[in-house]
Amino acid sequence: MINLLLMLGVFLFSFVVGYFLISRVPTLLHTPLMSMTNAISAVTILGALILFSVKSTGTEQVIGGVAFVMAAFNLVGGFAITDRMLRLFKKKEGRVDRHG
């Protein structure tokens, strides 16, 4: 029970610190920040896979499965959005530069 309370405390602390840190980041830096969260989601997926490789209870497997699905959703969606945003910065072929 003490481990659950400790993990819940760490989760709440990281939630509050993350909220205040992200709310102060300029919007120009949101794309690199989103890419970093994709990397964190990849670490979560690896952790869930390691959890599935050892003998665990049904509850642990359900929590690991939920974490795996949520991290995979964040990972795929984050890469799709990052790719779309990076395409906005590419120069289009055949476009005449009127300023130069």
Side-chain angles (χ1 to χ4, degrees):
M1 184 68 180
I2 196 84
N3 287 337
L4 180 64
L5 291 175
L6 181 65
M7 287 189 288
L8 191 60
V10 169
F11 176 75
L12 289 175
F13 177 74
S14 62
F15 176 80
V16 170
V17 169
Y19 176 78
F20 284 113
L21 285 175
I22 291 173
S23 65
R24 294 172 191 240
V25 171
T27 55
L28 185 63
L29 298 176
H30 281 187
T31 301
L33 187 64
M34 193 166 45
S35 297
M36 180 61 82
T37 60
N38 291 340
I40 293 171
S41 293
V43 171
T44 304
I45 289 173
L46 288 176
L49 290 176
I50 290 172
L51 177 69
F52 291 140
S53 68
V54 297
K55 188 172 184 175
S56 56
T57 65
T59 305
E60 292 170 341
Q61 289 179 352
V62 168
I63 291 172
V66 169
F68 182 83
V69 169
M70 292 174 72
F73 181 77
N74 188 34
L75 186 70
V76 172
F79 276 117
I81 291 173
T82 301
D83 182 54
R84 183 176 177 200
M85 291 179 77
L86 289 176
R87 276 189 273 144
L88 293 175
F89 294 107
K90 285 186 178 178
K91 292 183 179 179
K92 295 181 179 176
E93 297 290 328
R95 187 174 178 183
V96 177
D97 188 15
R98 297 180 185 167
H99 302 289

